[in-house]
Amino acid sequence: VKYSITKEIQFDAGHRVPLHESKCKNPHGHRYRVVAEVEGELQAEGSSTDMVLDFGDLKTIMQTLIHDKYDHSFIVWTGDSLWSTLQAWKESNSFAKIVPVDFHPTAEQLANHFFQIVSSNLFGDLKLKSLTVWETPTSSATVEEGN
Ligand SMILES: [Zn+2]
């Protein structure tokens, strides 16, 4: 049998999709939900015996590397015409939390980015099977292992 577990975190952030022809071009915010699904065998010893992975360990990875970096931030593509303005504002305001990324911050690209982050921080034989980013309560994008 194969086992997999999921963990979800949530954070609030702003973004815009500059190439979009409609409302997504305007700076706006979402409560993002990020769900990681990890596949593996049951551990045979230690405090995680008969678990794929301690939920708390997966939460720590997602919380420190995703939530803490992105929560209450504005995510901006470095090719966006807004970037230079936001960069200057960030440099003169210590509270500014602007997260530059080298991709269009769509749900799909954020899912791919978060997939790489979580995947590279798993240990042993654990595999990140999928990672889903929910941008609204009814809209999500999923990246699966191997893609
Ligand atoms: Zn959006």
Side-chain angles (χ1 to χ4, degrees):
V1 292
K2 283 186 173 177
Y3 295 89
S4 64
I5 63 162
T6 65
K7 187 71 192 173
E8 172 179 323
I9 60 162
Q10 302 187 4
F11 65 87
D12 301 302
H15 80 152
R16 78 169 192 136
V17 183
L19 300 182
H20 194 256
E21 305 256 308
S22 184
K23 60 185 181 181
C24 296
K25 192 170 187 159
N26 197 52
H28 62 279
H30 294 286
R31 162 146 288 216
Y32 286 97
R33 294 167 50 211
V34 181
V35 181
E37 181 182 18
V38 175
E39 186 180 82
E41 301 195 347
L42 298 187
Q43 302 199 26
E45 58 187 18
S47 75
S48 301
T49 298
D50 284 342
M51 300 174 184
V52 170
L53 167 66
D54 191 319
F55 292 118
D57 291 344
L58 183 52
K59 182 182 176 182
T60 297
I61 292 169
M62 297 171 76
Q63 198 76 8
T64 55
L65 301 177
I66 300 174
H67 175 277
D68 293 356
K69 178 171 178 181
Y70 287 88
D71 188 48
H72 284 75
S73 75
F74 189 83
I75 305 165
V76 58
W77 171 44
T78 50
D80 190 321
S81 57
L82 273 183
W83 167 232
S84 57
T85 302
L86 289 172
Q87 188 174 27
W89 183 72
K90 175 186 166 90
E91 281 164 7
S92 57
N93 291 281
S94 59
F95 64 88
K97 196 170 176 185
I98 305 292
V99 180
V101 294
D102 61 1
F103 51 81
H104 298 122
T106 58
E108 290 87 340
Q109 289 280 41
L110 285 169
N112 183 44
H113 184 61
F114 297 157
F115 186 98
Q116 308 307 329
I117 290 173
V118 175
S119 180
S120 61
N121 280 279
L122 293 178
F123 41 83
D125 294 329
L126 296 170
K127 277 196 305 192
L128 185 57
K129 193 175 177 188
S130 69
L131 188 139
T132 299
V133 169
W134 288 87
E135 203 174 70
T136 74
T138 55
S139 307
S140 72
T142 297
V143 169
E144 294 184 344
E145 180 206 6
N147 292 343

